[in-house]
Amino acid sequence: MHRFLRSCFLWSCGVLALAALQAQEVGPLTSHVVDSVAALKSAVFRAVPGETIVLKNGVYTTSGTVTIKCAGTAEKPITITAETEGGVELAGTHGFTVSEPAEHVIVRGFKFTHAAGKNVIGAGTRHVRFARNTFQCLGDGPYLSIYGDDVQIDYNDFADKSTPGSMIAVGGTGSQVARRLWIHHNYFHDLASAIASPAEMIRFGLTNVSLSTGNGIVEHNLFVRCKGESELISNRASGNTYRFNTFLESPTAQFSLRHGNDCAVYGNVFRQTEGLRVFGDRHQIFSNYFEGNYIGINIGNGSVANAEEGGSSGFDRPDDCVIAFNTFVENRTHYQMSRRTPTPLGAKNTTVANNVFLAGGVAARIEGPNEGGVWSGNLVWGKSGPGDMPAEGYTKVDPLFEPDANGIRRPQPDSPVIDSAVGNFERVTVDQDGQPRPELKDKGADEISSEPVSAMMPSVSSVGPGAQ
């Protein structure tokens, strides 16, 4: 419980931090204008707290790293910015490498078309922000690598990648993943099939840091047309939160909780994807909307009983995961455990409750051990039926859903889902719109409520450098 409350606290702090950072961008104490890469390097080397370094608009070709080691403060960050957002293109061989002891530094407004793998936020750095940049780097490697703590990545455009390497690759130091990373309001799009892995829009963590807690938040991002190495996002760390993101038009890619435990995935929209794949323990998956996917949620069929046994290739059996208050519409299969050979371990103590399964394929297909599985309060409607869901786990009744302006199916005022949820789910605190869940909850992702909507479905106009 404390992990979930901590995530909520971090989110609240993050909102305040964003407001503070936006305020900091107005009226800098000192402004230093430069017109060459050499002058930029020199100015960055000498930068002091509160200074803004402005690179005049144009196309610049780098032949070496622009190293950032300067340190601002929370009240007086150092800002490195394009003259106008999108007006500076960095081509050539290198981008920015932020190195220890750098902290409280903002990099804003650039277009990166240089070689991939050359934008790095290094270990030992703190409070670095990349905002309103466009990443279209060339060749193999990630667009942006992150190893430091308290990094903020917001309102960027990550686009047009067809080579190995993730758009964002998060690592760590030793066995500890980068902590308190905040990725929000970015536009990730057009990741084409790559010959080799990795090739995700976000790879959060690595096997060697997967049991460390990141307390990262990935929210309000838009992901479109991902056909990389089968994964939209690959989570490989513990204690992260993914909420209020939208995943579209990626029929061969899935969001994978590949390694790690204790993650929260809620308020997300999945359309025309491979859905969400789950390994690891104690994940909370609720208030998500799955429509037109190959599989809505694929609960993993484990190959090892715990992560310590698995190494880099093991699939940690999902234990004690909760999948509740989600809406599934016209997926080929709504909820599935796929077969594994040899020696499948399945999943253990999985709770599937208060979900709405509407039209499409069967509600549940279970092709492995499901020890201690709990099914309760689900609603199934459609000619394909419940599949392997036990009779006591569902009722078959028309939920009376209708599409809204975005085509999202929502309950009407006379819907049987209203106030009909069963069980006590204290950690299910919000619906897909960020509206609070009362003690007596509605089934499915949406809570009929008069409370303010705090999480709108992201669109191209609400994310990326041009968003207001």
Side-chain angles (χ1 to χ4, degrees), residues 90-377:
L90 289 185
T93 60
H94 288 76
F96 291 107
T97 293
V98 188
S99 300
E100 191 175 13
E103 62 179 4
H104 295 290
V105 173
I106 301 169
V107 176
R108 185 182 64 209
F110 294 90
K111 182 177 182 180
F112 299 108
T113 62
H114 54 72
K118 303 301 182 181
N119 284 307
V120 180
I121 301 174
T125 63
R126 300 170 60 247
H127 299 287
V128 175
R129 180 186 180 194
F130 272 60
R132 300 189 184 274
N133 303 289
T134 296
F135 293 81
Q136 290 178 301
C137 301
L138 304 176
D140 295 359
Y143 279 177
L144 178 63
S145 299
I146 300 171
Y147 301 90
D149 292 338
D150 302 292
V151 170
Q152 182 178 178
I153 308 299
D154 62 300
Y155 292 98
N156 300 284
D157 188 317
F158 294 88
D160 303 325
K161 186 168 178 56
S162 59
T163 55
S166 304
M167 288 184 170
I168 293 181
V170 182
T173 304
S175 60
Q176 174 62 56
V177 72
R179 291 170 290 194
R180 297 175 297 278
L181 173 60
W182 187 21
I183 301 175
H184 65 95
H185 292 94
N186 301 285
Y187 184 24
F188 297 87
H189 60 99
D190 297 292
L191 175 58
S193 298
I195 297 173
S197 63
E200 309 98 331
M201 291 186 172
I202 299 176
R203 192 210 71 223
F204 201 132
L206 291 162
T207 304
N208 66 302
V209 300
S210 62
L211 296 182
S212 67
T213 298
N215 281 327
I217 297 177
V218 179
E219 62 180 346
H220 303 294
N221 301 287
L222 178 60
F223 300 82
V224 184
R225 294 181 297 277
C226 176
K227 295 184 179 179
E229 184 247 331
S230 78
E231 292 178 329
L232 290 148
I233 293 177
S234 177
N235 178 80
R236 297 167 185 258
S238 298
N240 293 323
T241 297
Y242 300 89
R243 61 189 178 193
F244 309 125
N245 304 287
T246 294
F247 304 90
L248 304 174
E249 300 174 35
S250 303
T252 61
Q254 63 189 195
F255 179 165
S256 178
L257 296 176
R258 178 62 181 88
H259 292 295
N261 305 314
D262 300 297
C263 290
V265 180
Y266 62 90
N268 303 285
V269 173
F270 294 80
R271 279 175 155 170
Q272 299 176 9
T273 76
E274 290 276 332
L276 173 66
R277 191 183 190 197
V278 181
F279 292 99
D281 304 339
R282 299 178 299 278
H283 300 306
Q284 298 285 317
I285 300 165
F286 61 89
S287 297
N288 300 288
Y289 183 89
F290 299 88
E291 182 178 11
N293 304 286
Y294 186 71
I295 299 175
I297 293 180
N298 188 341
I299 187 72
N301 190 339
S303 67
V304 295
N306 57 71
E308 290 85 350
E309 296 177 4
S312 61
S313 60
F315 291 87
D316 182 17
R317 180 185 63 199
D319 292 352
D320 305 303
C321 295
V322 173
I323 297 167
F325 297 91
N326 302 287
T327 296
F328 299 84
V329 179
E330 295 182 351
N331 303 290
R332 187 196 66 89
T333 304
H334 296 307
Y335 179 80
Q336 179 168 324
M337 179 191 294
S338 301
R339 64 175 58 92
R340 174 182 296 282
T341 57
T343 320
L345 298 182
K348 186 176 181 181
N349 300 333
T350 305
T351 297
V352 180
N354 298 312
N355 302 287
V356 174
F357 300 93
L358 178 60
V362 297
R365 177 176 289 116
I366 305 299
E367 300 178 301
N370 195 33
E371 179 185 351
V374 175
W375 307 79
S376 64

Side-chain angles (χ1 to χ4, degrees), residues 42-98:
S42 178
V44 170
F45 179 78
R46 298 193 308 269
V48 297
E51 185 171 3
T52 293
I53 300 166
V54 180
L55 181 58
K56 296 188 71 173
N57 287 348
V59 178
Y60 299 84
T61 301
T62 63
S63 58
T65 298
V66 180
T67 301
I68 301 172
K69 289 188 174 182
C70 49
T73 66
E75 297 76 20
K76 296 180 179 181
I78 294 170
T79 301
I80 303 164
T81 183
E83 183 179 9
T84 61
E85 289 176 4
V88 172
E89 179 178 343
L90 289 185
T93 60
H94 288 76
F96 291 107
T97 293
V98 188

